[in-house]
């Protein structure tokens, strides 16, 4: 329970610090860069997931074709 309280305190203090940093022009630029990086990572992850999903569908279709011929 004590570790959970330390974790929650750290999260709260982190949000407070981020709020104050975000009030400066440099802080806003920093968080804008971080936000763009997170969005780019999310898009890349999503594209990779959908590509893998399509590859799986193509593989399953090829297996169905192969098994239906025999």
């Amino acid at each position: 329970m004590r570790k959970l309280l330390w974790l929650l305190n750290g999260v709260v203090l982190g949000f407070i610090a981020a709020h104050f940093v975000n009030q400066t022009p440099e802080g806003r630029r920093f968080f804008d860069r971080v936000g763009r990086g997170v969005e780019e990572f999310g898009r890349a992850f999503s594209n990779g997931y959908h590509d893998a999903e399509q590859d799986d569908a193509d593989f399953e279709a090829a297996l169905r074709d192969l098994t239906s011929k025999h």
Side-chain angles (χ1 to χ4, degrees):
M1 189 67 169
R2 189 174 188 97
K3 289 181 182 182
L4 179 61
L5 289 175
W6 278 109
L7 175 67
L8 291 175
N9 283 334
V11 169
V12 169
L13 289 174
F15 275 109
I16 292 170
H19 173 73
F20 284 114
V21 169
N22 194 39
Q23 291 180 347
T24 65
E26 296 86 10
R28 277 193 290 282
R29 281 194 298 270
F30 170 76
F31 285 119
D32 287 342
R33 277 192 314 243
V34 169
R36 282 193 306 272
V38 168
E39 288 173 4
E40 184 177 331
F41 176 78
R43 279 194 306 272
F45 186 85
S46 177
N47 289 340
Y49 178 81
H50 291 298
D51 289 347
E53 197 174 54
Q54 183 60 45
D55 290 346
D56 287 347
D58 293 343
F59 181 71
E60 289 173 3
L63 280 178
R64 276 194 302 275
D65 290 343
L66 184 63
T67 57
S68 67
K69 292 180 182 178
H70 286 70

